[in-house]
Amino acid sequence: MYEDLTDKMELLKVSSLKKYYRSGGGLGGRGSLLKAVDGVDFSVHENSVFAMVGESGCGKSTIARLVLRLINPTSGSVLFRGRDIFSLEGTALKSFRKSVQIIFQDPFASLNPRRTVFDTISEPLRIHNLVPRSRMEDAVVDIIEKAGLSTGILNRYPHEFSGGQRQRICIARALAVSPELMVADEPLSALDVSIQAQILNLLLELKRTSKIAFLFISHDLSVVYYFSDIVGVTYLGKIVEYSKTEDLF
């Protein structure tokens, strides 16, 4: 499903990104250096899907956390629309948080068990002052319908849903602020095979209708082939191959 990206604006640019950790070496010892991410370069364009594939422990999720500015790099840069995300503060940082959202691997662990669906979806709308209180319920209903959920679930809790439904709730929460980039960290791996296809088709539909770009992390090559435009193959903290999806496969 590769699309020509030459006429699309670069949304995210990652350059020479590194994240090193020290392990062991207690009581003053230096220990060993773990190179979780070791000089990674890639770009994500508007309304496109860049997929990272690789075995467990090769640095994919660490790259995702760096791109989201959940952790700081050892060196390198991440530019979102030309601005270094690690230099953002105040209003600019809040705007970045709105523009870049994440879908986690485990939908149950990423939902607060004490919050209803309405509370979960409306929270980002309140934080970013996107919808007046009088229109909040209508806005939440519209969002969950886009995620393929029924309107009768607003007052229910996460434990009352199946894994696929919980992941749709997580997708709806990410959609609430109309992001430009969605980071999807193994969003299908915790789901039954029969549900994976439904969620993948939902993501494809959102890309088509909402023009959202994706940084899509997976170890499932068949899913990557179906969903992505560009693929980066990761190994030991590096991207060892970077190619159009159709060329790689």
Side-chain angles (χ1 to χ4, degrees):
M1 61 162 295
Y2 168 72
E3 297 180 16
D4 186 4
L5 303 181
T6 55
D7 61 342
K8 294 184 177 181
M9 184 175 292
E10 189 176 65
L11 194 62
L12 184 81
K13 183 175 178 61
V14 175
S15 302
S16 304
L17 192 62
K18 297 181 181 180
K19 182 62 179 178
Y20 296 168
Y21 296 96
R22 289 215 171 267
S23 60
L27 297 177
R30 289 183 60 81
S32 59
L33 195 64
L34 172 64
K35 298 181 178 181
V37 179
D38 191 21
V40 166
D41 302 271
F42 65 87
S43 298
V44 182
H45 291 73
E46 290 181 329
N47 191 27
S48 68
V49 179
F50 173 69
M52 284 194 298
V53 298
E55 61 189 7
S56 297
C58 68
K60 302 188 302 297
S61 292
T62 303
I63 293 171
R65 289 196 291 271
L66 288 164
V67 165
L68 290 158
R69 202 181 138 168
L70 298 179
I71 56 176
N72 291 318
T74 301
S75 63
S77 66
V78 177
L79 304 182
F80 182 76
R81 292 204 175 276
R83 300 188 67 182
D84 184 353
I85 68 168
F86 298 108
S87 67
L88 299 178
E89 296 180 351
T91 303
L93 178 58
K94 187 175 182 180
S95 177
F96 168 75
R97 298 286 190 211
K98 174 181 175 295
S99 298
V100 183
Q101 291 287 305
I102 185 168
I103 307 169
F104 292 98
Q105 178 177 358
D106 185 349
F108 190 67
S110 63
L111 292 171
N112 188 330
R114 293 187 175 89
R115 286 181 172 268
T116 64
V117 172
F118 178 81
D119 293 337
T120 297
I121 309 285
S122 62
E123 182 179 35
L125 297 174
R126 290 195 301 269
I127 289 173
H128 294 281
N129 298 313
L130 298 177
V131 177
R133 187 181 297 272
S134 60
R135 292 191 57 250
M136 188 65 71
E137 185 170 343
D138 290 339
V140 171
V141 166
D142 182 57
I143 292 163
I144 66 171
E145 286 180 341
K146 288 181 181 177
L149 293 163
S150 68
T151 58
I153 66 168
L154 293 184
N155 295 314
R156 293 168 62 186
Y157 292 87
H159 71 272
E160 300 180 67
F161 298 97
S162 66
Q165 289 172 316
R166 285 196 287 263
Q167 194 62 295
R168 287 177 185 271
I169 294 168
C170 293
I171 292 170
R173 177 178 59 188
L175 276 178
V177 292
S178 301
E180 297 178 81
L181 175 65
M182 198 93 79
V183 178
D185 188 3
E186 300 270 12
L188 308 178
S189 61
L191 306 176
D192 293 339
V193 174
S194 60
I195 304 300
Q196 288 182 6
Q198 297 177 23
I199 299 300
L200 184 58
N201 285 330
L202 171 61
L203 295 179
L204 272 171
E205 179 65 13
L206 292 174
K207 176 180 177 289
R208 186 184 67 82
T209 58
S210 302
K211 308 300 183 185
I212 298 172
F214 284 85
L215 171 57
F216 188 79
I217 297 170
S218 180
H219 59 266
D220 189 329
L221 292 178
S222 61
V223 170
V224 167
Y225 177 66
Y226 184 66
F227 188 51
S228 68
D229 300 305
I230 302 289
V231 180
V233 181
T234 55
Y235 181 69
L236 296 180
K238 298 177 181 289
I239 292 183
V240 295
E241 187 166 3
Y242 185 90
S243 174
K244 298 176 185 177
T245 300
E246 60 179 8
D247 292 343
L248 180 68
F249 283 90

